[in-house]
Structure formats: structure tokens, C-alpha cells
Amino acid sequence: QKEVEQDPGPLSVPEGAIVSLNCTYSNSAFQYFMWYRQYSRKGPELLMYTYSSGNKEDGRFTAQVDKSSKYISLFIRDSQPSDSATYLCAMSGVAGGTSYGKLTFGQGTILTVHP
Amino acid sequence: ETGVTQTPRHLVMGMTNKKSLKCEQHLGHNAMYWYKQSAKKPLELMFVYNFKEQTENNSVPSRFSPECPNSSHLFLHLHTLQPEDSALYLCASSPTPRQIYGYTFGSGTRLTVV
């Protein structure tokens, strides 16, 4: 079983739709959760991050973490063509006890928002 | 120039060639990383450097040889690669290895082994 599972898609939605992207994980030690966005021919860029369970909102983006279900989500409201990219979830355990904060990534979901 | 810069952007090499990938960061970060991104697979951490010292080798074959002469530069030396090594190689940096929210990635080198 992979530590992090992410539906690779591809996901195609019309402009203005609400997009839901999800990851499940198996390692209960994960406490730090991130979403990266990767445009074609670019490296990933950090979009949002959350610690432990709960919601976090930033403009059109909302990140949710449900540690009891080991499930995280990223919602995009009023999606735009410029949101077309690959979205990667990433997570990490308790950084304080390790030599570095190792990130474990999902395989990414390819999203296309068409006008 | 700011951010993390990787060169070359594209590289095609034969299995008997020797080549090097270069990464340079202008962010004043002390930790640098090499990741491999293959189609339909998660990013795989290869190496971690902290203040020029290698702190992690994630069971990477010896045909990949990293070098970190200073905190701003990172190289990945390649020799006798296999076709399955074809992938996007991403360099990243962060202020320290513990600051997992502070990763900045380069645009990557698309490597094709023929």
C-alpha cells in the first residue's frame, strides 16, 4: 500500500466549476499537509499548507484535513483556465524529531479548466 | 536572478555518456535537494544536503553522484544511466531541512536516456 494515494485524473471541468482534489494516506504520523501546484514545464510551487486537522482558506482555495479518516482535500471555487495544472499533495511527520522534514508526495492530479 | 535555476532544461544522453545537471539558488537557503519525477509516480527524494553536507541518500544507485560545493550550488553527475532513469529531475532548496513549508523548486531538467 502506498503511503499517499492520489487520483491522477485527468480531471476536466468547465470554467466556474468547483473542483475537489483529494488524497488519502496511511501513515498516522503525518501532521503537516501541503498542496503544490505544478504548471507544465515548471517545478512545483507551494499553494497551501495546514497543520493537523481542520480547514484553511485562501481566496478561492480551501484546504481540509480529516486526520480521523486520513483524508485531505483541496477545493477550488470559481475555477479559472489559469488553474489548469497538476496538483500534488504532500505531507510530513513530526519534523522536530528527525534530521529533516521529509515530504511524502502523492502522484499528482492533472486538472484542466476549459473556458 | 532570483529563485532556483536549473540547467540544462533538457538533456538527451546515451547510456555510456557522462553528464552533469546543475542547480543554483539565490535565496540564501542552507538546504538543497534532488528529486526525481517520473510519469504517473510521486516525486522521489534522492539526496539532501544541509550546509554542504549530505544528510540523506535515499538508496540512490551509484550511477547518480551528487556534489554540493557550497550552499548555493548543487550538481548531479550522471554516468552509465539506464533508459528507466529518464525523468524530470528537480532541484529544491529550503532555509533549513526542517522548514518543510519553505521548499522552493526549480523548473527541472528533463532527462532522456537513449
Side-chain angles (χ1 to χ4, degrees), chain B residues 1-113:
Chain B
E1 191 171 346
T2 59
V4 178
T5 303
Q6 290 188 243
T7 54
R9 293 296 307 274
H10 301 274
L11 178 63
V12 179
M13 59 185 290
M15 290 189 283
T16 58
N17 291 158
K18 290 184 180 181
K19 296 287 185 183
S20 295
L21 310 185
K22 179 182 176 183
C23 176
E24 184 174 2
Q25 58 98 358
H26 306 272
L27 301 167
H29 290 169
N30 294 309
M32 297 188 78
Y33 313 81
W34 280 116
Y35 277 86
K36 177 183 179 182
Q37 188 175 32
S38 304
K40 302 187 189 310
K41 293 178 71 175
L43 264 73
E44 300 172 55
L45 177 66
M46 300 175 72
F47 302 102
V48 179
Y49 276 83
N50 186 28
F51 289 99
K52 305 187 299 178
E53 299 298 320
Q54 186 181 126
T55 57
E56 181 79 7
N57 176 338
N58 201 25
S59 303
V60 180
S62 59
R63 58 185 183 270
F64 295 90
S65 175
E67 179 189 2
C68 190
N70 54 61
S71 293
S72 298
H73 293 85
L74 185 64
F75 295 89
L76 188 62
H77 304 299
L78 316 171
H79 64 97
T80 59
L81 295 190
Q82 304 299 311
E84 60 265 27
D85 297 322
S86 298
L88 181 68
Y89 288 85
L90 290 162
C91 173
S93 70
S94 65
T96 72
R98 291 172 179 266
Q99 289 181 257
I100 52 177
Y101 297 145
Y103 275 50
T104 301
F105 284 88
S107 294
T109 294
R110 173 69 63 184
L111 174 67
T112 303
V113 181

Side-chain angles (χ1 to χ4, degrees), chain A residues 18-94:
Chain A
I18 296 175
V19 176
S20 172
L21 305 167
N22 312 294
C23 289
T24 59
Y25 63 95
S26 57
N27 188 343
S28 58
F30 288 147
Q31 295 204 43
Y32 302 85
F33 303 92
M34 284 143 275
W35 285 96
Y36 281 82
R37 178 174 61 195
Q38 185 175 17
Y39 289 115
S40 180
R41 293 184 290 277
K42 295 287 189 181
E45 57 177 338
L46 183 63
L47 192 59
M48 294 192 71
Y49 64 88
T50 54
Y51 170 71
S52 196
S53 287
N55 295 356
K56 185 173 183 179
E57 189 172 320
D58 183 3
R60 296 185 294 110
F61 298 88
T62 300
Q64 287 187 352
V65 175
D66 182 348
K67 289 190 68 181
S68 62
S69 301
K70 296 190 178 67
Y71 188 86
I72 70 170
S73 300
L74 177 71
F75 296 96
I76 307 175
R77 292 183 299 281
D78 187 27
S79 56
Q80 302 295 308
S82 58
D83 295 327
S84 298
T86 298
Y87 289 80
L88 308 164
C89 63
M91 44 200 81
S92 180
V94 178

